[in-house]
């Protein structure tokens, strides 16, 4: 069959995010910047990137040539590797209480917090959950996010977790952005569960994990290791079972107290996320491991707590991804670029480090190959900004949004036409 080819350009700059290492700090001078560039796409994947003028003669009669007017900078589509956008209800009341002086854990103990969202999510129909995901995911797409991880975790029973994961699957079928589902049944011990944490974890090991495999709902399992959630000791058998079934493991780690990142390293987790409370010990442990450290600045802003020590993680040689943690409680904003820019300003991160954290390093946190960079064979997911210099993007602290977004070679956002 005839291959579909497209040539897009000329771009003032294309940043392919290639030739950069997965771990450690980097300078902006490490970034490859291709000027006056064109991107050749074949069947939704990048075929070649080079000077637009050199590429034009290579276009055949059937190549669609998409000429850009004005100055544009192109990056790989952003990857948000940690969200909880499948939920019902609002936690505006929690937010107001927190700003009036109550802590996250205090609010949780008085009926707010995660349990409040669990109650509302359990009441919602699958169709209602799908509607909420579509609304939020489409907003992320307009902000340049072409791959979006979504956790369950507000069901906390076998049928309710399955309902959430089916809602994520159904939404994914209707969206241009790719949703990557993760099972967070180990978010907290459900208040209505009569047994202890060990009994709950054993129940979901036996009755939920195998179903997720059979029904192909996800290949990722995450747990919240924290006071008020699950301990290092209790999670062991659950993770052992999940690994034996072939799931990738990830951990909500060191958010308020340490311990989770040690579990992540011990179980060979793909990522350890949060890390606001990590000390030198955890930073060094993570940096020596293959675990991707994921900073969630939206949760630091939502809870007004420390930022993840991103600078120290990179200086120690760690791999740093940055994600929005978009959820109704701790991170209601859901704007990856704004949050990444803010983290960069507070933690003194280079453009190269921030942009790596929301592209190829985030892809690694999801175990995804062939996205997060623009190179031959990679998905043609493009995030295009109306500017002539890539440094303008973070300089505007998230207020400069992409004007055009391509997903696998198809234009899915065009704000010039809005
Ligand atoms: O990543 N840390 C635990 N879970 C979520 C918060 C979920 C919620 O508050 O609803 C987080 O911040
Ligand atoms: Fe989270």
């Amino acid at each position: 069959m005839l291959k579909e080819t497209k040539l897009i350009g000329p771009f003032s700059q294309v940043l392919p995010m290639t030739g950069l290492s997965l771990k450690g700090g980097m300078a902006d001078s490490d970034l490859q910047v291709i000027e006056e560039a064109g991107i050749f796409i074949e069947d939704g994947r990048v075929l070649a990137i080079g000077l637009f003028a050199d590429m034009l003669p290579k276009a055949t009669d059937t190549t669609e040539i998409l000429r850009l007017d004005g100055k544009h900078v192109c990056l790989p589509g952003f990857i948000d590797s940690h969200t909880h956008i499948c939920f019902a209800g609002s936690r505006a009341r929690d937010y107001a209480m927190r700003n009036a002086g109550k802590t996250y854990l205090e609010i949780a103990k008085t009926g707010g917090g995660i349990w409040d969202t669990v109650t509302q999510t359990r009441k919602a129909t699958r169709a209602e959950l799908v509607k909420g995901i579509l609304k939020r995911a489409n907003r992320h797409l307009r902000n340049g996010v072409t791959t979006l991880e979504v956790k369950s975790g507000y069901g906390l029973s076998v049928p309710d977790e399955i309902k959430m994961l089916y809602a994520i699957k159904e939404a994914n079928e209707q969206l241009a952005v790719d949703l990557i589902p993760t099972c967070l049944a180990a978010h907290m011990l459900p208040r209505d569960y009569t047994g202890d944490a060990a009994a709950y974890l054993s129940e979901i090991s036996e009755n939920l994990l195998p179903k997720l495999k059979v029904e192909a709902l996800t290949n990722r399992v995450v747990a919240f290791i924290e006071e008020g959630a699950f301990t290092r000791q209790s999670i062991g058998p659950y993770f052992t079972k999940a690994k034996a079934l072939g799931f990738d493991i990830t951990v909500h780690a060191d958010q308020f107290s340490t311990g989770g990142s040690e579990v992540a390293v011990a179980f060979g987790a793909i990522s350890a996320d949060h890390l606001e409370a990590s000390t030198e010990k955890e930073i060094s442990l993570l940096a020596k491991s293959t675990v991707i450290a994921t900073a969630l600045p939206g949760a630091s802003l939502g809870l007004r707590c420390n930022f993840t020590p991103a600078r120290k993680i990179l200086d120690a040689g760690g791999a740093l991804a940055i994600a929005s943690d978009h959820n109704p409680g701790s991170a209601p904003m859901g704007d990856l670029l704004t949050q990444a820019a803010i983290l960069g300003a507070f933690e003194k991160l280079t453009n190269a480090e921030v942009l790596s954290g929301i592209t190829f390093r985030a892809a690694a946190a999801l175990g995804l190959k062939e996205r997060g960079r623009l190179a031959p064979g990679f998905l043609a997911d493009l995030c295009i900004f109306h500017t002539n210099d890539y440094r303008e993007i973070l300089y505007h602290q998230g207020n400069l949004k992409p004007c055009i977004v391509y997903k696998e070679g198809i234009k899915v956002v065009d704000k010039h036409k809005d």
Side-chain angles (χ1 to χ4, degrees), residues 135-279:
K135 184 181 79 185
R136 296 173 198 117
N138 276 320
R139 215 180 75 215
H140 282 278
L141 180 69
R142 284 179 65 78
N143 291 344
V145 174
T146 50
T147 301
L148 188 69
E149 186 266 6
V150 187
K151 287 176 231 302
S152 60
Y154 295 124
L156 305 189
S157 72
V158 172
D160 289 303
E161 286 291 307
I162 294 216
K163 176 178 79 174
M164 290 189 76
L165 288 160
Y166 267 111
I168 298 167
K169 186 174 180 167
E170 195 178 318
N172 191 32
E173 285 156 9
Q174 297 177 39
L175 284 163
V177 50
D178 285 328
L179 302 185
I180 309 296
T182 310
C183 175
L184 175 56
H187 200 179
M188 65 179 275
L189 180 63
R191 294 243 166 105
D192 58 351
Y193 191 76
T194 46
D196 61 6
Y200 173 69
L201 290 171
S202 144
E203 180 180 325
I204 56 175
S205 292
E206 278 163 39
N207 300 328
L208 179 63
L209 295 186
K211 273 208 176 97
L212 302 182
K213 278 281 160 195
V214 172
E215 300 184 34
L217 286 172
T218 178
N219 54 25
R220 294 165 44 86
V221 163
V222 57
F224 185 19
I225 312 285
E226 190 57 64
E227 185 200 328
F230 296 97
T231 61
R232 289 192 258 185
Q233 294 73 23
S234 66
I235 211 67
Y238 181 65
F239 273 173
T240 304
K241 173 77 183 279
K243 282 197 79 162
L245 289 171
F247 287 99
D248 280 340
I249 300 293
T250 106
V251 182
H252 272 63
D254 303 356
Q255 185 178 10
F256 304 107
S257 59
T258 57
S261 51
E262 264 183 75
V263 175
V265 173
F267 280 91
I270 192 160
S271 75
D273 306 18
H274 275 293
L275 311 173
E276 294 90 335
S278 298
T279 68

Side-chain angles (χ1 to χ4, degrees), residues 82 84 91 104 114 154 187 224 252 255 274 325 327 329-330:
H82 182 138
H84 308 249
R91 301 246 294 280
Y104 187 58
I114 295 169
Y154 295 124
H187 200 179
F224 185 19
H252 272 63
Q255 185 178 10
H274 275 293
D325 196 18
N327 73 68
S330 60

